[in-house]
Amino acid sequence: MKIGIDKIGFYAPHLYVDMNKLAAARNVEPEKFTIGIGQEKMAVAPITQDPVTLAANAALIILDEEDRAKIDFVIFGTESGIDNSKSGAVYVHRLLGLNPNARSVEVKQACYGATAGIQMAKGHIALNPDSRVLVLASDIARYGLNTAGEATQGAGAVAMVISADPKILALEDQSAYLTADIMDFWRPIYSDFAFVDGKFSNEQYVLFFKTVWEQYKTKTNLGLNDFEAICFHLPYTKIGLKALRTILEEASEESQERLLANYQSSTLYNRNVGNIYTGSLYLSLVSLLEQSEQFKSGSRIGLFSYGSGAVGEFFTGILQPNYQEYLYSEKHAELFASRTEVSIEEYEKMFQQTVPVDGSTAVFGSTNDPAPIQLKGIKDNMRQYENKTN
Ligand code: CAA
């Protein structure tokens, strides 16, 4: 039985910062951000968007009534969750009016969470071929103002329906994975900001990629020429290219050209959204599928997932016939086209505005957030959400 991605959509907040202007404000040459790091725009979340609303808004784009009835497992991958006990999945389940007979959980392992979710979903569908699983990947990446990591922030979510006989990408069974206890990036429970050893994290990312790639080749006897494209976890768009270049010579000249061209398509959305942590790999997949010419059915796509701390996995999928008909390209184009730029001053102000943590009541009434699902405030330590489509 084929199991894989039946639907995939993303949502990013309606506000962004221009990286050239951020560079000017930080006294950095713009090319460092736009070429050295490879980012053009960075999505900024207003106070009315948190990881729950971002995930719910992403899911709203793709779900229909049949999905709502058939989804019996909601898996919410995040590393910026809003509660140390209750899962974001339960909130999304209610906001979207899903079938009550469902399991709902949150999965955490830095940017690897959603990949773990997909693998769990695959097992669930193998046992329950008629059901569907909603996998959410949602994060707000925050390193702090004036930090080295600031240029690699972002906000957004990807939602995927995993099912039997998927319309987009059938996941293959062989994959290669690796765990090592390292401190390249982490966020203790008491901290709003991530701690990061930037250079070490870059080194480990590439090392993990090379290690799982070698393991994958040994397991499968496949090589780089067997791939139409490879998507990477993209905290910033330059890093995947660095990883790809370490193995590129294994491919024929023709394959090298193809992989490099497809790499560019796979980074366009990320370049304009920024790091969305666990959703980044899947945003890259959406970008590849929506921004490339149609690939032949049966083409193989590689996916490299990396979650600091660290877990890495290389896995693959096969594109299904007419997959392009089932993408949400127009909705995503509208989303990009309707965004508003904010000045650096406005971004800094928004960055410092946080949900109260002292039990006080707050109402976020007067923002211009166009998102259908929003955080309206907090009362008695409970976040108050609204789905305007209800
Ligand atoms: N024109 C063109 N390029 C320029 C330039 C200019 N004027 N000035 C600098 N550059 C280049 C540099 O040469 C460098 O390129 P190379 O890496 O190819 O040498 C690049 O711009 C970045 O410059 P620096 O290395 O000096 O940048 P930095 O030290 O200030 O910060 C960073 C870069 C380490 C990525 C930092 O943004 C950071 O810590 N980010 C968060 C951590 C991160 O994203 N790590 C990735 C792996 S971990 C992971 O994947 C999990 C996750 O999501 C966090």
Side-chain angles (χ1 to χ4, degrees):
M1 174 174 50
K2 285 185 191 172
I3 303 173
I5 300 175
D6 189 57
K7 292 182 173 184
I8 183 164
F10 86 88
Y11 185 80
H14 71 296
L15 304 174
Y16 71 87
V17 158
D18 182 319
M19 296 304 281
N20 291 289
K21 293 182 186 160
L22 184 64
R26 301 292 179 251
N27 277 324
V28 169
E29 285 179 20
E31 294 77 13
K32 173 172 174 182
F33 289 173
T34 56
I35 299 169
I37 287 185
Q39 294 301 127
E40 295 286 339
K41 292 176 181 165
M42 181 172 91
V44 177
I47 191 79
T48 44
Q49 291 298 310
D50 69 9
V52 166
T53 60
L54 292 171
N57 283 312
L60 209 53
I61 292 173
I62 63 169
L63 297 190
D64 60 21
E65 284 315 308
E66 198 183 342
D67 296 319
R68 281 186 164 82
K70 284 197 166 178
I71 287 169
D72 63 356
F73 198 177
V74 183
I75 305 176
F76 191 116
T78 187
E79 57 180 300
S80 52
I82 56 148
D83 195 295
N84 287 322
S85 172
K86 180 168 173 170
S87 78
V90 172
Y91 293 98
V92 174
H93 177 277
R94 194 238 325 150
L95 283 163
L96 298 176
L98 301 182
N99 170 15
N101 302 116
R103 295 175 174 137
S104 298
V105 296
E106 193 164 298
V107 178
K108 176 180 69 187
Q109 175 31 57
C111 306
Y112 177 75
T115 302
I118 285 179
Q119 298 299 357
M120 285 161 74
K122 202 167 164 244
H124 180 79
I125 299 295
L127 292 172
N128 306 277
D130 290 333
S131 80
R132 295 181 191 172
V133 182
L134 176 62
V135 176
L136 302 159
S138 183
D139 272 308
I140 299 180
R142 284 163 70 84
Y143 292 91
L145 302 175
N146 268 302
T147 59
E150 184 180 25
T152 63
Q153 296 179 152
V158 176
M160 290 169 271
V161 172
I162 307 296
S163 72
D165 300 320
K167 292 193 277 298
I168 296 174
L169 191 75
L171 296 168
E172 293 186 287
D173 285 342
Q174 293 281 20
S175 81
Y177 32 87
L178 181 71
T179 293
D181 182 2
I182 56 167
M183 297 304 281
D184 61 331
F185 168 107
W186 67 105
R187 187 168 67 84
I189 281 172
Y190 52 80
S191 178
D192 273 351
F193 302 131
F195 293 85
V196 62
D197 183 340
K199 302 276 175 236
F200 182 55
S201 71
N202 286 342
E203 277 165 29
Q204 289 299 312
Y205 175 106
V206 174
L207 183 64
F208 266 67
F209 172 66
K210 288 193 332 195
T211 309
V212 290
W213 170 245
E214 284 304 318
Q215 194 190 328
Y216 175 82
K217 283 191 298 182
T218 309
K219 272 185 167 177
T220 61
N221 281 323
L222 293 172
L224 209 43
N225 293 329
D226 298 302
F227 287 84
E228 186 67 41
I230 298 184
C231 292
F232 290 82
H233 165 54
L234 293 176
Y236 54 97
T237 67
K238 184 78 174 290
I239 196 168
L241 186 58
K242 283 187 185 179
L244 178 60
R245 278 185 183 144
T246 64
I247 62 164
L248 204 55
E249 281 187 358
E250 294 175 19
S252 66
E253 233 168 79
E254 191 193 333
S255 295
Q256 290 191 23
E257 267 175 39
R258 180 183 68 245
L259 291 165
L260 286 171
N262 289 336
Y263 181 80
Q264 292 311 322
S265 314
S266 77
T267 57
L268 286 172
Y269 288 178
N270 305 69
R271 205 170 239 287
N272 287 289
V273 171
N275 192 2
I276 58 166
Y277 287 158
T278 194
S280 292
L281 168 62
Y282 302 98
L283 181 60
S284 170
L285 177 63
V286 180
S287 184
L288 174 79
L289 300 181
E290 294 184 354
Q291 294 297 318
S292 304
E293 296 289 304
Q294 174 134 15
F295 298 125
K296 274 196 213 128
S297 145
S299 299
R300 179 175 286 109
I301 308 293
L303 297 120
F304 172 59
S305 180
Y306 177 75
S308 289
V311 178
E313 178 156 351
F314 186 82
F315 63 109
T316 62
I318 301 293
L319 284 172
Q320 298 303 292
N322 305 318
Y323 68 90
Q324 272 193 328
E325 287 172 22
Y326 303 103
L327 300 170
Y328 293 86
S329 316
E330 273 176 31
K331 290 211 167 150
H332 297 145
E334 276 167 31
L335 193 147
F336 276 121
S338 63
R339 294 196 303 171
T340 307
E341 183 181 345
V342 291
S343 68
I344 302 304
E345 293 72 32
E346 287 168 310
Y347 146 67
E348 289 178 347
K349 220 191 251 174
M350 274 191 285
F351 192 87
Q352 280 151 354
Q353 193 189 7
T354 48
V355 177
V357 291
D358 59 359
S360 58
T361 298
V363 179
F364 311 133
S366 60
T367 67
N368 296 319
D369 188 349
I373 298 177
Q374 297 185 21
L375 173 64
K376 298 311 290 180
I378 185 161
K379 194 173 171 229
D380 300 330
N381 292 300
M382 291 181 266
R383 290 188 182 221
Q384 310 293 313
Y385 293 107
E386 184 183 27
N387 181 348
K388 290 184 175 169
T389 65
N390 283 342

